[in-house]
């Protein structure tokens, strides 16, 4: 069982195995640039692995934990990073299930030019990982 804080520590350590272990098998990931969410631990872990490579100087600056809904805990992690030299500011919104694992992850990033640079960088890496016969050819952040 994980608790709010486990995901953050795993990301800060750049430990993909620990990140994956903090995710519920049925996790739903909402991207800042894709309409449809990613579903499932394996696809979300693959995407987060690419993000670990793409983000430069990634660090969380603030953390907010919900207190009003103990039955559905949530955590917001605000971060700064660079992508191909462009400054990015963002927020990871995490929702936790009864088992303490992350069941929902929504990422928001700004400003728009940096978000588009991030989408292109992640998209290229995801397409390369999927190969020419990848599922959709549009797998980006």
């Amino acid at each position: 069982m994980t608790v709010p804080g486990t995901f953050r520590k795993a990301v800060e350590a750049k430990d993909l195995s620990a990140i994956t272990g903090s995710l519920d098998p049925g996790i739903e990931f909402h991207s800042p640039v894709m309409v449809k969410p990613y579903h499932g631990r394996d696809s979300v872990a693959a995407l987060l692995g690419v993000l670990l490579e793409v983000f430069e100087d990634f660090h969380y600056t603030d953390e907010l934990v919900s207190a009003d809904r103990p039955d559905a805990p949530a955590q917001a992690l605000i971060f700064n990073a660079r992508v191909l030299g462009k400054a990015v500011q963002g927020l990871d919104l995490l929702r936790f299930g009864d088992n303490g694992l992350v069941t929902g992850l929504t990422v928001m990033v700004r400003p728009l030019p940096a978000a588009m640079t991030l989408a292109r960088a992640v998209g290229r890496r995801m397409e390369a990982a999927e190969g020419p016969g990848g599922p959709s050819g549009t797998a980006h952040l």
Side-chain angles (χ1 to χ4, degrees):
M1 179 156 155
T2 64
V3 293
T6 303
F7 178 86
R8 177 182 180 161
K9 289 176 186 169
V11 170
E12 289 174 331
K14 297 184 179 185
D15 184 345
L16 186 57
S17 177
I19 293 169
T20 303
S22 73
L23 304 177
D24 186 83
I27 187 171
E28 184 172 273
F29 177 93
H30 292 270
S31 158
V33 295
M34 296 297 292
V35 174
K36 294 182 180 180
Y38 285 78
H39 293 278
R41 180 186 285 155
D42 292 341
S43 63
V44 172
L47 177 60
L48 293 175
V50 169
L51 289 171
L52 287 176
E53 296 172 4
V54 170
F55 280 127
E56 305 157 10
D57 301 326
F58 182 95
H59 60 283
Y60 287 117
T61 60
D62 296 285
E63 178 175 344
L64 307 167
V65 179
S66 68
D68 61 338
R69 293 200 48 204
D71 60 321
Q75 178 182 40
L77 301 170
I78 294 94
F79 64 86
N80 287 323
R82 288 182 304 108
V83 176
L84 300 175
K86 291 187 187 223
V88 176
Q89 182 182 41
L91 179 136
D92 292 338
L93 177 60
L94 298 106
R95 298 249 179 236
F96 299 88
D98 293 339
N99 59 5
L101 299 175
V102 178
T103 58
L105 173 56
T106 300
V107 177
M108 295 174 241
V109 295
R110 63 164 303 279
L112 183 58
M116 297 313 296
T117 298
L118 177 62
R120 285 190 299 274
V122 170
R124 282 192 296 268
R125 287 179 188 249
M126 291 296 287
E127 288 169 2
E130 291 172 354
S136 68
T138 59
H140 335 95
L141 173 66

